[in-house]
């Protein structure tokens, strides 16, 4: 497998269509949990929806616009992570991620976000990495904060989440600030 | 003409290919002036570049992703303005604009931004309008500030401008705050 | 709104997807009436059909091949009108239109056709405007006749209308003949 | 070869890319002659232009929108002919053709137009065949007239030919009138 | 019709959408017979499937990648044949074919394969023609063998046929070997 | 990096656009050497050609039709390898590869081909792997032979190489035969 090894129990693998069934199953298992902060649960009800998502990721990857991976924990797929957007003119990328409910609390997401930030600066030679989190999603906000990202602002009512708007905190890390 | 009349001397017209020559001429006349804050001058050197820009605008418009207009001042094209991005899931739009050097100082840009914000809330029923300006571009920042937009954050090194990065101030206005 | 104001109670607005529900409703209300002379009623049974029609209009507009508007009468959508085809090599355009049954008899269609002909000659700098009407559709034929278009021929069995062919009268107006 | 045999010395062959060099050569040999009535000579100056034309024909053919053939006279390509447009809703087709200067005066074009009209009614089961000719192009007009097509009208200034407009005579033949 | 006449009772015609109903009917009549060696029967259950197949053929033909014909025996469609792949860099083509059960035993397929090989060498100026047949499909293998093609190898488990793999024999004929 | 680690000094990495410069440089360094057996050298003369090749690889990858990697030897790109074609209906894939002249003689290609065959059977669950080599290219033929692939045939004049045809030996390995 084509892996980006993070440490002994964690790796990232570029997502492809052979991951469809597993990613859809994971979505179903954590549906209620994920739905609190992610907007795509209600439009992901059939395996075909996950397949369309992965096809979209692959098309974006082939055009160098994004990069999506599955997170492997001891060889098991436990979530996805990657760069939702890569802007080569401005040398910025935005990290997105989600993790199955059953694998919370192991520091997985922080290690993944750290590895992706490393990858953005060292391999892709980008200048800036952003992570956006809903203002009241403390778990998600803790990740960039733990990694030393700067809180650059609060974009009000940035996202519609089924029945209400949520504010987004934008966290940013510049290449010259990153010393991991 | 299909116009959105702002007041006695100002209107907006949906951009189309018949505007190519005039928009390119205007670009050439203000090239040095515009280049201080806009990133596309060096890649807009032939009329074909402006034509590609307008074709892209029209394609985005036909897919309901953006809306670009030419600004008419006493019947003359003096700049462009519009929604660079419209996000229908989140009900947000982002306003962008530029004005020929010769027409600065007449309050044109403020009236245009006000009219577009009105249009976003009243016609398009959006919830949020954003305007981004470079942190040191006081002229551009004055427009959302004059209209009462809130400064929601400073996105550091958000844009590469030929030979240096600039920070972006994000200004936001919510539908329920807009009383013009 | 981006309007082409004809007179105090009539304007044209470029059609867009926000018009879908209203245009479909209007189609349903006048279904029997419109079906006498228009071929698309039986293939326009769901709102999705109207949405596809509008998307097609917008794509053609973005490629400068047609221009479709909704007719606003005292602010209400009462029909559509526009240039079904624009041929830039030959500098010709063909006007098409339909009006809801409830708004017949107010001279709306004649004023709209006159305004579009004006637009073709004055704004688009075309040389020829054509209007085609079924030979036995007296109401539709009266419009170009009232505006002074010349009857240039009868194209026999030009159109299949559900269960029979109809002949088309081609009416033409040249730029140098137009003195309105 | 895939041929539609007309008589002992004439056949039609579906055009394909292997015909490019010969069709371009023929165009060059009759350039002055063809330019009197055809609008595409000045934009057909390189073999690549002819190749683009043939690719366009093949794409239209694969979508059942047109059918273009090369005319073979004693095995030599001497021109092209076919249906420029096929409208399956209205069951009409429009014949277009051109013949190299060197092969004029042998009745080739009349036999070809007759064969295509036959093909439209017998094989394609269409209802109407149209041929359009410039009003002052007597040679071209003689063909539908000789075959008994009816003159259905004169479409004024229908076509821009380099530096002036020409009127078009529309000739029509209905399936039930065709007794050849 | 555009025909490649093979002999008094056999011709080939480029496939087009007007053949859809007949080809689908033929498929249905020989479904059990054809299914023994062809992989597409179970995914060809509605007339729309045949239409998609023909559209695909026409698209490939318009891009010069393949050429598919219907076999006419005394004017009746009895099967299809053609070049599944044409490789213009390497100057090779691969012949594929199927014949309705009712028309077996008349030497039709051998005459068709001979005519297509002729066409590949004489008209298309290719250098190599290949025919692949399943190793145990004696009827299909007899055709290239009768025409003097050389058995160039046995590609093991080359094709999945519903519930088992079959080996393919590759037969080849070079242009300089062909003396028919 | 997303790597498939083969052993201590060898890994494969999915090719992407950041590899363009290095792959083009490698091509240039081994141009004469590679040209003996590969057909694409004369059409790969500018870095844009390599970029188009990689874009094509990425598009094929996003559609699950191929998978191309760069070979990393002690962290340096020394060639490319992958599956030129993956046929999911028939569960087959075809391996292709080239190695810079400077890195010949280290057993790199055999280890890479072994790893890709492993990947095809273990990860992709395919049934058959093919490797094709020109009949007189002993170095390339030695690789499948060393790995125990079966010689399944000699496809005569299968490929045009600048000025002559070459025969191809087809080597095949079935999943159940693979015991590495």
């Amino acid at each position: 497998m084509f892996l980006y090894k993070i440490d002994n129990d964690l790796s990232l693998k570029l997502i492809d269509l052979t991951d469809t069934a597993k990613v859809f199953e994971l979505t179903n298992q954590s549906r209620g949990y994920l739905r609190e902060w992610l907007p795509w649960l209600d439009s992901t009800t059939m395996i075909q929806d996950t397949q369309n998502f992965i096809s979209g990721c692959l098309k974006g990857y082939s055009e160098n616009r994004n990069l999506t991976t599955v997170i492997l924990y001891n060889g098991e797929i436990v979530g996805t992570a990657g760069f939702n957007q890569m802007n080569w003119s401005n040398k910025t990328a935005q990290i997105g991620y989600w993790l199955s409910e059953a694998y919370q609390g192991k520091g997985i997401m922080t290690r993944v976000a750290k590895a992706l930030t490393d990858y953005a600066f060292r391999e892709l030679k980008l200048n800036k990495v952003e992570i956006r989190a809903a203002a009241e999603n403390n778990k998600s906000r803790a990740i960039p904060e733990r990694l030393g990202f700067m809180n650059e602002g609060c974009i009000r009512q940035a996202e519609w989440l089924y029945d209400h708007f949520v504010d987004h905190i934008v966290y940013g890390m510049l290449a010259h600030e990153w010393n991991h």
Side-chain angles (χ1 to χ4, degrees), chain A:
Chain A
M1 272 195 292
F2 292 83
L3 297 179
Y4 175 5
K5 194 176 173 179
I6 298 178
D7 53 33
N8 278 341
D9 48 19
L10 264 187
S11 315
L12 302 178
K13 185 184 81 70
L14 283 176
I15 204 166
D16 65 46
L17 289 166
T18 66
D19 302 318
T20 309
K22 182 63 188 168
V23 171
F24 181 64
E25 187 193 327
L26 215 61
T27 300
N28 268 345
Q29 286 167 355
S30 296
R31 186 171 288 278
Y33 174 77
L34 297 172
R35 197 178 178 283
E36 189 178 355
W37 296 112
L38 295 172
W40 46 266
L41 276 301
D42 289 5
S43 55
T44 307
T45 59
M46 296 181 304
I47 196 166
Q48 182 63 42
D49 299 322
T50 298
Q51 188 176 317
N52 291 346
F53 162 72
I54 297 179
S55 293
C57 290
L58 288 166
K59 184 158 189 300
Y61 173 71
S62 76
E63 294 167 358
N64 222 4
R65 291 186 284 104
N66 60 43
L67 183 156
T68 311
T69 73
V70 287
I71 305 168
L72 295 174
Y73 181 70
N74 295 325
E76 283 292 294
I77 296 181
V78 298
T80 76
F83 303 115
N84 298 342
Q85 300 175 20
M86 299 191 290
N87 185 320
W88 296 95
S89 311
N90 296 329
K91 296 189 189 302
T92 61
Q94 189 179 312
I95 291 178
Y97 43 75
W98 62 267
L99 186 66
S100 158
E101 187 170 12
Y103 292 88
Q104 302 288 331
K106 300 176 192 304
I108 292 177
M109 226 47 254
T110 304
R111 285 184 277 163
V112 165
K114 178 167 176 296
L116 285 170
T117 306
D118 254 357
Y119 188 81
F121 292 141
R122 305 220 171 132
E123 306 268 345
L124 304 179
K125 312 292 185 202
L126 295 173
N127 178 64
K128 170 103 187 265
V129 171
E130 283 184 18
I131 296 178
R132 286 174 156 240
E136 303 187 19
N137 185 352
N138 294 322
K139 236 182 201 159
S140 189
R141 288 182 59 176
I143 291 163
E145 288 174 359
R146 213 172 285 136
L147 294 171
F149 279 61
M150 179 181 287
N151 178 330
E152 298 184 340
C154 173
I155 310 301
R156 297 176 306 150
Q157 303 200 6
E159 183 179 14
W160 177 251
L161 210 53
Y162 307 108
D163 52 9
H164 63 294
F165 288 102
V166 295
D167 298 348
H168 275 183
I169 307 299
V170 178
Y171 290 95
M173 173 64 67
L174 300 176
H176 74 81
E177 299 167 342
W178 186 250
N179 288 311
H180 293 267

